[in-house]
Amino acid sequence: MLRLLAGMLIHVLKRTKNARHCCPIGGELARLQMMSYWKNKRQIVIAMALLVVTAAPAFCQFDLSGEWNPRQHHDVVNRGIGPTLGDYTGLPINDAARMRGDSWSASLMTLPERQCIPYSADYAWLGPAALRIWKDVDPETQQLTAYRMHTYWQSAERTIWMDNRPHPSDFSPHSWQGFSTGKWEGDMLTVTTTHLKTAWVQRNGIFRSDRATLTEHMVRHGDYLTVMIIVNDPAYLTEPFVRSADFVYDPRQTIAPYPCDPVTEIVRPKGSVPHYLPGTNPFLNEPMQYFGVPLPAARGGAETMYPDYQLTMKNAKTEAPAPRPGATASVNALPETRSSAANLQVLPVQGNLYLVAGAGANVALQVGNDGVLMVDDGLAPYADQIFAEITRLSRKPLRYIVNTSADADHTGGNAALAKRGYSLVGGNMVVNVGENAKSSAAILAHENVSARMGSADAGNGTPVPFGALPTDSYFPSQKDIYVNGEAVQLIHPPAAHTDGDTVVFFRRSDVVVAGDIFSADRYPEIDLARGGSVQGILDGLNFLLDLTVPVVRQEGGTLVIPGHGRICDEADVVEYRDMVTIVRDRVLDMARKGMTMEQVKASRPTLDYDPLYAPNQAAADRFVEAVYRSLDHGVNRGVQSAAK
């Protein structure tokens, strides 16, 4: 046994000697301590325990700070002009990602709302990536709080928190750089990143989704920095996607600013989204034409990541991909049942606004000296919990409830919550109605919501109770009120989700509550029976883009609370608007070719977006059917496809 321990000790001593260049004090101290015990074999075990505590490799942490310049090797294509269109070799993508890539047009990047988008945290390593890293150190404890990073392309700024803070709520906003936390594992820094926006996997139309998580391993070897990048995406990738990047220390480096001011490069009709209809992209044959890459390899997939895949390609054809009427990718990235948790989440948005999530539809609360203004109030069973959250945020009464539609998940708490509020009324109102007019919050909505909630067409087949009906409705395109120190605009987008939708714009807080014309986690519900249409949804989304203004690099600024899902900004609305436009164009093209609704649904025109917005195939089919019927009813007959 002693011989075995002695052998292990000699092995560890060799490692300690080699580690002296990393941490010379710790390495030399360990060797001296071991020599003082060497003559007494009975103390070998004690010495080994001490060595484990003091050995350099377990605690050595390299400083990553400094100026770093990229070194191009296998990633030269991504660092340069980008890969060939249609070349997805080596990417573990599914059919949804492949269809999105086939539809992508580089002209999309000429849209003003897409011109200033930086590379995200996972792709920034591969761009024009002159890099600066520096430390944030707590002045009292001298503990490392965070690493800060600045990358040349679009002046992207990133923070890697090193103080063990938790990642934010799933309802928190996403950003291009995401939310990153790091920990040392020996001399390797491991970074975990969540809350990323949808962004490149490869710059020829292959994306990873905003559901993705990123793991990075950073190791410094003297003047060289190596980063391993691992992307996991349940929407578009079937396996983790791994790549690496290398940098060399360059203290003489100067990083110039990278301002970006979007401009109109090409004049297009409002809301146009460049893309290719299925089977019309003329560039997908370039990998086969120019490089002789067999078609199955060029189409990507996890199997193309591995070297032995070459053996299966000897007899493969080099032909362009044929148009596909559909595909077989499963639609299971989202849970079958939406959130039904009893515990609500309350998140500050900005200004006076808070989001209450988990009550069915999103609930927005504006809090101030005048009281509380609520936009939507969730499903009826959550009324008590929502009121409890209101009392935690404010001692002032609930003054106003705004309904963005007549849907039960937006109006279910009307009766229970309104009677707990208080209105500022007097004069003839009290004379005619009585003191009871004061003892409830005012409920505001578009007049079509009032009409539908008071009839059998209330969303659940029966009229709602009198106490749940709006007390004040508006019929023009807009109603303005001033509450809690800011102007609040109630704006009616016609014929969108329904014919009674309201968008609420809090001008000072710079927050828009969108209702169901925009949901971050599902396709829009186009209620044809109640006056909805796909073109109305698109008009409403483009109107949201008119209201929203990002701070810089197409993020932040005006925040958007969707009908369902996380807090968003303009870039998220752009993604959603593009999706609805592309699906509309595809269905319109098929309808003009004489395809029936069942044939259109069978062709899977939403395949590339189903992992993001459909919990099951029925939800995808319901959206396609609503788009088709909306077009079939005469709406959009004159719309020209923006596909090109």
Side-chain angles (χ1 to χ4, degrees), residues 398-402 418 422-423 440-444 471-472:
L398 174 63
R399 299 286 192 193
Y400 299 98
I401 298 173
V402 179
Y422 187 84
S423 295
S440 74
I443 303 175
L444 311 179
T471 61
D472 188 5

Side-chain angles (χ1 to χ4, degrees), residues 189-235:
L189 179 64
T190 296
V191 180
T192 302
T193 302
T194 59
H195 294 75
L196 290 159
K197 290 183 180 294
T198 297
W200 299 116
V201 165
Q202 191 164 273
R203 279 186 296 128
N204 57 358
I206 298 299
F207 291 84
R208 57 121 182 94
S209 77
D210 59 356
R211 275 71 164 169
T213 57
L214 170 64
T215 303
E216 296 153 297
H217 300 294
M218 305 179 189
V219 179
R220 180 172 181 172
H221 307 271
D223 286 345
Y224 292 91
L225 176 66
T226 298
V227 183
M228 177 178 288
I229 308 143
I230 307 170
V231 179
N232 284 275
D233 183 10

Side-chain angles (χ1 to χ4, degrees), residues 25-44:
I25 295 178
E28 191 64 31
L29 177 62
R31 296 179 69 250
L32 292 174
Q33 289 169 330
M34 293 312 305
M35 291 175 63
S36 68
Y37 287 110
W38 186 250
K39 293 182 181 180
N40 191 340
K41 292 183 179 180
R42 289 176 299 178
Q43 294 178 318
I44 288 179

